[in-house]
Amino acid sequence: MSEPVRSKLKIILYTSLALALGLGLASGFEWAQGGHAATLPAATRAAMQRTAPATLPAASTQRPSSEADAHALAEVSRVFVAIAHDVKSAVVSIDTRGQPHQNVSQERLEELFGPFRGDQVPQTPYDVPLGRGSGFIVSEDGFVLTNNHVVARAERIQVSLPDGRQFDAELVGRDPTTDVAILKIEGKDLPTVQFGDSDGLAVGEFVLAIGNPGLQSSSALPFTVTAGIVSAKGRDLGIIRENANASPYAIEDLIQTDAVINPGNSGGPLVNYKGEVIGINTAIASLTGYYQGYGFAIPINLARDVMEDLIEYGRVRRAALRVNVSQPTAADARVFGLPSLGGVVVQDFPDDSPALETGIERGDVIIAIDDRPVERVGQLQSVIASYEPGERVIVELIRYGTPMQFNVRLAEADVPQPEPIAAAPAARPSNMVIGVQVSALEPQLLEEVGLQQLRDLEGVLITDVAAFGPAHMANVPRFWVIQRVNGTPVRSVSDFDVALSEVKPGDAVSLDLIAVSPEGDVFHQIVNVGVPEQ
């Protein structure tokens, strides 16, 4: 992150702290509906001591002036503007195409992706827009991080940068068990994000959610930056496990935020107040598909480990302790002699468990791995996933009140690898280069379709536009007359065929169109149609 942004962050931290202290002393920290003063919690006081400068301005006993308030708020605004400006240049829009599919609706959660419903798509020889999502560039040579569910069914993937550049993307790899995927575009000196540390993230921290779903019809909202706080950590909602076909190695240890997230923002970054990416936006709590208070993100530490495996090996290599665990209850804490309600209870062992071979037993409660605390199931999965298969770890546990340690050599998890989808389009009819059928302006045809007013025009009549073909995507209407193709006059169907005979994949075709309304009004329009790459 740039030094000017860091300087602004220092200003805002110190200014906001001084303002908060002044306001707090002036009001006695009273609750809105109570007359008793509320004292700052010890943890808050400690945090203030860690972040405060050597000398703070003396707190005023009077309420700060409106001018001081405005200045503090202006600094907050400038910091958010600087962060958004720094990060959003690396946040991309991902457009996916392929064959139609049937979506599985989810009552509790909706993926932040807006695909067309498979049962609503007519048969077409063209690639169907499956939906749009977001992603962010993590290396100057073009690696892009996003969600697995954004690209899982795609045969073609196009990445668009905020500056207007577009790239065809290669799917490097994807992992349904974490909902992470990595793409590659061919570019140099591309803008990139900076990673933060999601393990150090605290509930209550300010965050920005950034998305760039683009401007297509499948997206309700274009590029957005929203602000909120971290509402909770370690959420296990079952959505990733469900999409990974109930794999025992699915990891759900999600960050919860109240920053507004909406369809098309899947794969976009969740950014902390330093401008560092600490998560990948992946799902929302919703009954409608739109934001209703809670969003969820994959911790970036986990996503980065998965990304590095996919880039280096083309698949996920995940370490495994090979234990079946559960979250302890209050009764478990009493029976197992736990000092607090945390850790994970070992319930069973699958075959070839290194944990069992080392001496760990059923009923043991794992509380740390290499001094890294373990408070919940998803956290244990994330911690173990940060190691390589074959590495040794110190497992700290409590056995009926007695602390114990075991040195365990981690196995390799049998993570199912998704089948690749061939990125080859269906064969396209030779007379459907741009996806239109045309006919000569014959009087009988014009009378049949009720367009007698076109009889004095020269050109060819568009009688059909293929669903999801190039002309359809460019909004070329039926029953308009094509008079020129790439500037060449067209007076017959053969003229039209000749004009298109030299068109190559990736070219653009310029159509000069004309129509006449029933009242005799004449309409002209030039539409430029992109021809798909083969």
Side-chain angles (χ1 to χ4, degrees):
M1 189 175 178
S2 61
E3 285 304 314
V5 175
R6 296 188 187 279
S7 299
K8 287 181 180 292
L9 287 167
K10 292 179 181 178
I11 293 171
I12 180 56
L13 286 173
Y14 301 159
T15 304
S16 299
L17 181 58
L19 178 60
L21 285 172
L23 288 171
L25 291 174
S27 64
F29 286 102
E30 290 188 358
W31 298 117
Q33 297 181 345
H36 301 288
T39 60
L40 288 170
T44 303
R45 293 198 302 272
M48 289 170 61
Q49 291 169 359
R50 288 195 300 270
T51 58
T55 58
L56 282 172
S60 172
T61 57
Q62 301 296 320
R63 179 178 178 82
S65 67
S66 59
E67 182 178 350
D69 290 350
H71 176 73
L73 291 174
E75 287 300 323
V76 173
S77 178
R78 279 193 284 269
V79 171
F80 282 149
V81 168
I83 292 172
H85 181 269
D86 249 22
V87 176
K88 75 176 186 179
S89 61
V91 180
V92 302
S93 174
I94 298 175
D95 179 18
T96 62
R97 295 171 181 260
Q99 293 305 302
H101 61 274
Q102 180 74 35
N103 277 342
V104 179
S105 62
Q106 309 211 13
E107 295 181 359
R108 294 184 300 113
L109 290 162
E110 289 284 341
E111 294 173 337
L112 305 186
F113 195 45
F116 284 86
R117 294 297 180 104
D119 54 356
Q120 296 175 353
V121 178
Q123 292 297 316
T124 170
Y126 294 93
D127 296 333
V128 172
L130 299 179
R132 300 182 73 92
S134 303
F136 48 95
I137 305 172
V138 298
S139 69
E140 292 184 351
D141 60 347
F143 282 106
V144 177
L145 197 55
T146 186
N147 284 139
N148 168 70
H149 74 259
V150 169
V151 297
R153 300 180 180 93
E155 296 180 9
R156 290 176 176 271
I157 304 170
Q158 187 175 69
V159 168
S160 301
L161 273 60
D163 62 13
R165 285 181 289 175
Q166 293 185 329
F167 299 87
D168 290 326
E170 172 195 357
L171 177 60
V172 176
R174 60 187 184 90
D175 176 31
T177 64
T178 54
D179 199 24
V180 171
I182 185 75
L183 311 176
K184 181 66 168 65
I185 59 178
E186 294 303 321
K188 294 181 179 179
D189 300 322
L190 296 170
T192 63
V193 299
Q194 180 177 340
F195 287 135
D197 178 13
S198 54
D199 288 344
L201 193 65
V203 173
E205 282 193 38
F206 280 115
V207 289
L208 299 180
I210 304 178
N212 183 10
L215 293 169
Q216 297 298 318
S217 58
S218 59
S219 169
L221 296 174
F223 199 103
T224 55
V225 179
T226 58
I229 64 169
V230 175
S231 305
K233 295 174 63 179
R235 293 303 199 203
D236 185 345
L237 306 166
I239 185 172
I240 294 177
R241 192 173 301 107
E242 182 177 339
N243 289 344
N245 297 319
S247 169
Y249 296 108
I251 300 176
E252 267 189 65
D253 194 35
L254 302 174
I255 301 165
Q256 179 180 313
T257 177
D258 65 349
V260 177
I261 302 173
N262 272 305
N265 288 278
S266 263
L270 187 68
V271 180
N272 66 13
Y273 64 88
K274 298 178 183 178
E276 300 166 336
V277 177
I278 45 83
I280 305 176
N281 302 323
T282 192
I284 52 176
S286 175
L287 296 177
T288 65
Y290 289 83
Y291 174 81
Q292 288 184 284
Y294 300 112
F296 301 93
I298 301 162
I300 199 62
N301 289 12
L302 172 62
R304 182 167 49 188
D305 288 337
V306 173
M307 176 190 74
E308 290 171 352
D309 271 0
L310 292 174
I311 292 174
E312 184 172 356
Y313 306 109
R315 64 183 182 88
V316 175
R317 296 178 69 249
R318 183 163 301 152
L321 193 57
R322 291 197 189 280
V323 290
N324 296 336
V325 295
S326 65
Q327 204 67 38
T329 65
D332 291 336
R334 291 194 297 270
V335 172
F336 297 135
L338 305 182
S340 61
L341 191 59
V344 296
V345 182
V346 177
Q347 297 287 5
D348 202 358
F349 303 91
D351 294 338
D352 303 323
S353 169
L356 177 62
E357 293 173 359
T358 309
I360 296 176
E361 299 177 359
R362 295 176 59 242
D364 288 345
V365 180
I366 298 173
I367 58 172
I369 302 291
D370 284 344
D371 293 326
R372 298 166 66 180
V374 171
E375 299 177 351
R376 55 191 181 271
V377 173
Q379 188 177 24
L380 174 65
Q381 293 174 315
S382 293
V383 169
I384 294 298
S386 68
Y387 292 90
E388 291 291 322
E391 285 191 82
R392 287 192 171 274
V393 297
I394 301 299
V395 179
E396 301 174 45
L397 55 82
I398 293 176
R399 179 174 294 171
Y400 293 95
T402 302
M404 304 182 74
Q405 291 186 349
F406 293 87
N407 189 314
V408 181
R409 183 183 181 89
L410 298 174
E412 181 169 353
D414 185 17
V415 179
Q417 303 301 318
E419 291 291 329
I421 298 178
R428 301 185 177 102
S430 59
N431 64 338
M432 294 282 280
V433 174
I434 59 173
V436 297
Q437 296 279 12
V438 298
S439 177
L441 294 173
E442 298 175 352
Q444 182 177 352
L445 172 62
L446 295 177
E447 185 174 352
E448 288 176 358
V449 296
L451 295 174
Q452 295 89 335
Q453 65 271 28
L454 301 179
R455 60 184 177 274
D456 295 328
L457 297 178
E458 287 189 346
V460 291
L461 180 68
I462 300 173
T463 57
D464 195 17
V465 179
F468 301 108
H472 176 266
M473 301 307 295
N475 297 314
V476 173
R478 291 179 65 197
F479 301 131
W480 281 51
V481 174
I482 301 174
Q483 293 196 304
R484 289 177 178 80
V485 174
N486 290 335
T488 301
V490 170
R491 298 182 176 84
S492 64
V493 174
S494 61
D495 287 349
F496 178 75
D497 290 340
V498 170
L500 292 181
S501 63
E502 299 299 321
V503 174
K504 299 179 179 60
D507 286 351
V509 176
S510 184
L511 303 179
D512 196 337
L513 306 173
I514 190 170
V516 179
S517 72
E519 293 77 22
D521 297 323
V522 178
F523 301 93
H524 293 268
Q525 186 172 356
I526 295 175
V527 178
N528 298 316
V529 180
V531 179
E533 296 279 357
Q534 295 292 336

